[in-house]
Amino acid sequence: MEQKVRVLSKEQLQDILLKLEDVLSEEQCRELSKLLDEYVGMGSEAGRAELPVRMSQEFVDEKLEQLKRWMQQIQLLGQGLDHQLL
């Protein structure tokens, strides 16, 4: 069941929850409603917590090395121009 749930879209999950209301008992509907209330409250907090996207250290290291290579190339080009001017 878990695999099936993971491939469903948000809209599909919403449709399923709405259809459940027709087949669940009143007590089950109340319990489902409590669960939904919990997750609705968590959603606003979780949404804010997910906002900052962090880069992997590997990506940062790769870009740092690339910048260092560029700096060396710029320095070499600058040294070459200095020698030509002399």
Side-chain angles (χ1 to χ4, degrees):
M1 183 170 159
E2 182 179 345
Q3 288 177 329
K4 291 179 184 178
V5 170
R6 291 195 181 278
V7 297
L8 294 172
S9 69
K10 176 182 176 180
E11 290 80 18
Q12 290 170 321
L13 289 169
Q14 288 172 336
D15 287 343
I16 290 169
L17 286 171
L18 292 172
K19 288 177 184 178
L20 277 174
E21 188 176 17
D22 296 333
V23 296
L24 297 176
S25 69
E26 285 185 40
E27 178 62 28
Q28 289 170 322
C29 281
R30 281 193 295 273
E31 288 301 314
L32 179 58
S33 183
K34 288 178 188 177
L35 272 173
L36 292 173
D37 289 342
E38 287 177 29
Y39 280 89
V40 167
M42 290 172 51
S44 59
E45 294 169 13
R48 280 182 264 144
E50 293 175 12
L51 286 179
V53 176
R54 305 212 26 110
M55 292 182 261
S56 71
Q57 188 61 45
E58 181 182 359
F59 179 77
V60 172
D61 292 342
E62 177 185 326
K63 294 304 173 189
L64 183 60
E65 287 302 315
Q66 186 178 23
L67 285 170
K68 286 178 183 178
R69 284 193 302 274
W70 289 346
M71 288 173 59
Q72 288 174 347
Q73 290 172 351
I74 291 169
Q75 287 173 347
L76 289 173
L77 285 172
Q79 290 173 358
L81 289 175
D82 287 344
H83 290 291
Q84 288 178 356
L85 295 174
L86 295 177

